[in-house]
């Protein structure tokens, strides 16, 4: 996968910080930590640097979506010391007592987290989480196959593109798109509105090529599919491999997501986990991750440096302007009966 190359200035910044960090290494190994994260969400060299600095091995695994991670933790038998779920899932895990409170004395780099990403609805008292990456969902389409401008979620329900449409393979994202297209709040608890969104998704199912998550990279880059929703920063990686791809935040508005680092109950190495969270919040490490994935860091120093490295088009995709931001919504934790409704309808839809 093609990735953005660090500028000489950025590289020097990272190397100097790494040399300073190495001086803090205690030398003795502290066992292993198990980290679970989204696919394409971290520069693997970052893990090697952490291991070298702290003498702690990282067993790194990826998960497909929040619901899969939640189910795996609930079933037990999955070791996890640090997980990086999204906003609404963190709220659910807090509500169900699935997370440890963090000792912020071990996370001094929390001071570098942008105040806009603290005290959010999913963790209002800043007790359980440290924001990691932020961004929006948008539409990616192939301009060679669709030779006119796409501006609306309506394109995902357009029969002219039958067999070429991709859709998110998780209920919150899929329902959010349908709800926004219908003019509803993505956090609605109105069951009639949710059923209308469900009916729209049932109609869409007949013209879909596939429900996907990370597979969208190959399908859109190769031209196997023409259009699909995905997380904005991934577009830049995909565009590097296929210049015909275009990105838009639909006029109806979209989801703004915050993924954050938390420690689940049952973690066997909480001190080492907090070292990892602190390390990941460091400016040089945040810069490495942004340069690898394009996902905006919650570290305000790193975000400012990275923004200066981008072209105007890249900045527009990675960082959300005021006009677009005003039309975004963050997923909230929904009441149990609404979650049960989503689960039931999703099983019907995917069955």
């Amino acid at each position: 996968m093609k990735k953005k190359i660090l500028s000489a200035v950025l590289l020097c910044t990272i190397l100097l910080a790494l040399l300073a960090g190495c001086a803090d290494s205690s030398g003795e190994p502290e066992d292993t930590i198990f980290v679970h994260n989204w696919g394409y969400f971290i520069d693997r060299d970052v893990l090697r640097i952490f291991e070298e600095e702290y003498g702690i091995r990282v067993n790194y695994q990826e998960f497909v979506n929040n619901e899969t991670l939640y189910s795996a933790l609930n079933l037990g038998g999955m070791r996890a010391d640090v997980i990086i779920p999204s906003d609404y899932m963190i709220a659910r895990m807090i509500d169900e007592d699935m997370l440890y409170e963090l000792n912020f004395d071990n996370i001094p780099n929390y001071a570098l987290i942008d105040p806009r990403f603290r005290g959010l609805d999913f963790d209002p008292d800043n007790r359980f989480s440290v924001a990691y990456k932020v961004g929006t969902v948008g539409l990616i389409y192939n301009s060679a196959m669709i030779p006119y401008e796409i501006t609306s979620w309506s394109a995902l329900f357009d029969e002219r593109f039958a067999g070429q449409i991709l859709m998110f393979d998780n209920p919150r994202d899929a329902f959010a798109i349908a709800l926004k297209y219908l003019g509803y709040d993505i956090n609605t608890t109105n069951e009639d509105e949710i059923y209308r969104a469900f009916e729209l998704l049932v109609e869409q199912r007949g013209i879909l090529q596939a429900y996907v998550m990370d597979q969208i990279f190959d399908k859109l880059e190769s031209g196997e599919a023409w259009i699909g929703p995905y997380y904005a920063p991934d577009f830049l990686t995909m565009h590097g491999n296929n210049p015909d791809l275009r990105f838009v935040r639909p006029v109806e508005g979209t989801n703004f997501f915050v993924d954050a680092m938390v420690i689940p109950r049952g973690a066997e190495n909480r001190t080492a986990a907090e070292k990892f969270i602190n390390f990941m919040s460091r400016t040089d490490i945040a810069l490495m991750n942004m340069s690898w994935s394009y996902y905006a860091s919650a570290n305000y120093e790193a975000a400012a440096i990275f923004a200066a490295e981008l072209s105007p088009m890249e900045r527009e995709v990675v960082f959300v302007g005021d006009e677009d931001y005003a039309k975004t919504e963050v997923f909230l934790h929904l009441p149990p009966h609404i979650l049960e409704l989503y689960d039931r309808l999703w099983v019907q839809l995917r069955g």
Side-chain angles (χ1 to χ4, degrees), residues 170-181:
N170 74 75
R172 283 305 295 268
D173 279 325
F175 271 88
I177 289 170
L179 288 166
K180 291 301 286 187
Y181 174 54

Side-chain angles (χ1 to χ4, degrees), residues 139-174:
L139 269 176
I140 300 173
Y141 66 97
N142 191 322
S143 63
M145 303 299 179
I146 304 176
Y148 43 87
E149 185 179 11
I150 296 294
T151 61
S152 167
W153 288 121
S154 63
L156 293 181
F157 306 95
D158 194 327
E159 292 186 356
R160 291 175 298 172
F161 310 141
Q164 302 297 335
I165 301 169
L166 304 176
M167 189 56 164
F168 276 126
D169 194 13
N170 74 75
R172 283 305 295 268
D173 279 325

Side-chain angles (χ1 to χ4, degrees), residues 84-96:
I84 308 179
S86 302
D87 31 51
Y88 72 95
M89 187 55 69
I90 293 171
R92 181 175 184 176
M93 289 177 172
I94 291 172
D95 187 56
E96 297 179 14

Side-chain angles (χ1 to χ4, degrees), residues 31-329:
D31 199 9
T32 298
I33 58 169
F34 288 72
V35 177
H36 297 260
N37 195 5
W38 295 88
Y40 304 114
F41 225 42
I42 194 170
D43 183 342
R44 295 300 183 98
D45 285 342
V46 161
L47 303 179
R48 176 184 55 78
I49 292 167
F50 176 80
E51 291 176 336
E52 291 175 354
E53 287 194 24
Y54 291 93
I56 302 170
R57 193 172 78 85
V58 179
N59 186 311
Y60 184 81
Q61 300 177 37
E62 297 175 351
F63 58 87
V64 175
N65 56 49
N66 287 293
E67 288 70 26
T68 300
L69 175 66
Y70 172 84
S71 296
L73 287 172
N74 260 345
L75 288 172
M78 182 186 87
R79 179 170 172 185
D81 297 296
V82 178
I83 58 175
I84 308 179
S86 302
D87 31 51
Y88 72 95
M89 187 55 69
I90 293 171
R92 181 175 184 176
M93 289 177 172
I94 291 172
D95 187 56
E96 297 179 14
D97 197 28
M98 294 176 64
L99 303 178
Y100 285 122
E101 290 193 31
L102 299 176
N103 179 356
F104 284 91
D105 289 341
N106 294 331
I107 312 173
N109 287 330
Y110 185 69
L112 298 171
I113 301 301
D114 193 316
R116 293 179 300 165
F117 309 128
R118 304 185 206 174
L120 297 177
D121 287 337
F122 64 88
D123 186 9
D125 298 322
N126 298 306
R127 294 162 53 201
F128 297 92
S129 65
V130 174
Y132 175 55
K133 295 290 184 68
V134 300
T136 61
V137 170
L139 269 176
I140 300 173
Y141 66 97
N142 191 322
S143 63
M145 303 299 179
I146 304 176
Y148 43 87
E149 185 179 11
I150 296 294
T151 61
S152 167
W153 288 121
S154 63
L156 293 181
F157 306 95
D158 194 327
E159 292 186 356
R160 291 175 298 172
F161 310 141
Q164 302 297 335
I165 301 169
L166 304 176
M167 189 56 164
F168 276 126
D169 194 13
N170 74 75
R172 283 305 295 268
D173 279 325
F175 271 88
I177 289 170
L179 288 166
K180 291 301 286 187
Y181 174 54
L182 293 170
Y184 302 139
D185 190 304
I186 64 173
N187 297 300
T188 184
T189 57
N190 183 314
E191 294 191 15
D192 288 338
E193 293 177 352
I194 294 172
Y195 272 108
R196 290 191 192 103
F198 171 69
E199 291 167 1
L200 180 61
L201 292 172
V202 170
E203 292 177 12
Q204 181 201 43
R205 184 174 57 186
I207 61 173
L208 286 183
Q209 180 183 117
Y211 290 100
V212 295
M213 290 304 294
D214 291 341
Q215 305 97 314
I216 196 169
F217 279 92
D218 292 336
K219 286 182 173 291
L220 286 180
E221 284 178 0
S222 67
E224 184 181 342
W226 295 357
I227 188 167
Y230 212 56
Y231 310 109
D234 289 295
F235 164 75
L236 296 178
T237 299
M238 298 163 70
H239 183 262
N241 295 328
N242 184 344
D244 289 331
L245 295 179
R246 300 289 181 268
F247 173 82
V248 62
R249 291 186 180 92
V251 294
E252 298 92 347
T254 189
N255 166 233
F256 185 89
F257 61 84
V258 179
D259 293 333
M261 298 174 283
V262 298
I263 300 178
R265 288 200 175 273
E268 297 181 18
N269 206 337
R270 291 170 62 183
T271 299
E274 287 167 348
K275 288 181 179 180
F276 182 81
I277 292 172
N278 188 60
F279 170 83
M280 295 294 287
S281 302
R282 215 167 72 188
T283 298
D284 58 311
I285 298 303
L287 282 168
M288 284 187 69
N289 277 324
M290 279 193 290
S291 295
W292 190 87
S293 70
Y294 286 107
Y295 275 83
S297 173
N299 176 311
Y300 66 84
E301 285 185 349
I305 295 170
F306 189 64
E309 295 283 322
L310 300 177
S311 70
M313 183 275 284
E314 290 170 331
R315 275 196 299 275
E316 185 177 344
V317 172
V318 174
F319 299 99
V320 187
D322 291 341
E323 183 178 347
D324 282 335
Y325 186 75
K327 294 187 290 185
T328 65
E329 296 179 79

